[in-house]
Amino acid sequence: ELSAVEKHIKVIRKTLHDRSTEKRDAASERAKEYESQISQEVDDEREVRKRKKKFVRENSQVNVVNCLFNPKSFTQTVENVFHFSFLVKDGKAGINTRRAEDAEEYGGDPGPVIRPTDNLNMPAPKQAIVSLNMKDWRDMCQAYNVEESDVPHRVDGKVAKKVKKERKSN
């Protein structure tokens, strides 16, 4: 049987996979429009395919703050980031920074993004120490407009059931 930590790592991995798949599917739909746009600028067919592939890859990445930061709990945010680090260590996920130039070219916001990986043909993972205090956590949740984490909130050690909010009809 899996420990509580292993179960949570599994939840984070599934959440990341699901969000990345949603984003990749949406990017694939928009890729034809992007391809026709760059075909007007670039004559080389290989370059067009290469840029289209990068467009889908860039738009399949998940914003780390929206995925792992829990606006209801600093402690759970720290746990999410810590448990995510095990996925990186095992080569099952990656994290990088989307450059402003890539964000402008391919869409999305610049900043930290994460993605699932299959750890095949991947270089050895690199890890770094991240410092996060409550003030930075609050500021980042506010700056990225995080109202709810992609990783479910936990109550008493169990995933809380999401309550559907009724939409106000105008």
Side-chain angles (χ1 to χ4, degrees):
E1 184 167 325
L2 297 176
S3 70
V5 170
E6 291 168 321
K7 287 178 184 174
H8 189 241
I9 291 170
K10 191 174 177 181
V11 167
I12 291 172
R13 184 175 186 199
K14 181 176 180 347
T15 300
L16 176 58
H17 178 270
D18 292 350
R19 286 288 291 129
S20 181
T21 299
E22 289 170 13
K23 291 180 75 63
R24 185 186 64 237
D25 291 348
S28 294
E29 288 179 22
R30 294 190 329 266
K32 288 187 192 269
E33 181 181 320
Y34 178 77
E35 181 179 27
S36 66
Q37 175 189 337
I38 59 171
S39 293
Q40 296 171 359
E41 302 168 14
V42 179
D43 291 333
D44 183 6
E45 186 65 33
R46 283 188 315 176
E47 180 64 21
V48 170
R49 282 194 310 270
K50 180 179 162 186
R51 288 173 65 178
K52 179 182 173 185
K53 185 176 178 180
K54 185 167 183 179
F55 173 86
V56 173
R57 185 174 61 245
E58 284 291 321
N59 285 284
S60 298
Q61 299 182 96
V62 178
N63 180 291
V64 71
V65 178
N66 290 316
C67 186
L68 298 178
F69 278 47
N70 183 336
K72 298 176 185 173
S73 172
F74 173 71
T75 304
Q76 286 186 27
T77 297
V78 172
E79 289 174 358
N80 291 348
V81 172
F82 179 64
H83 293 158
F84 176 77
S85 75
F86 287 97
L87 294 174
V88 173
K89 179 181 78 74
D90 293 341
K92 295 177 180 170
I95 183 169
N96 67 340
T97 303
R98 180 181 290 138
R99 299 175 320 147
E101 300 84 35
D102 288 338
E104 188 176 319
E105 170 73 22
Y106 302 106
D109 295 321
V113 290
I114 55 179
R115 70 199 176 287
T117 60
D118 58 12
N119 80 358
L120 300 173
N121 303 320
M122 292 290 295
K126 298 176 186 171
Q127 291 184 289
I129 295 172
V130 176
S131 174
L132 181 67
N133 59 41
M134 287 185 82
K135 182 187 179 319
D136 293 341
W137 165 73
R138 281 189 198 105
D139 291 347
M140 290 181 76
C141 285
Q142 186 176 23
Y144 284 88
N145 298 317
V146 180
E147 293 180 10
E148 185 176 19
S149 174
D150 289 345
V151 175
H153 179 71
R154 297 177 305 286
V155 177
D156 298 327
K158 300 192 190 285
V159 173
K161 292 184 180 179
K162 289 188 177 184
V163 178
K164 288 192 175 186
K165 296 178 184 175
E166 286 189 33
R167 294 182 180 235
K168 295 178 182 175
S169 57
N170 294 338

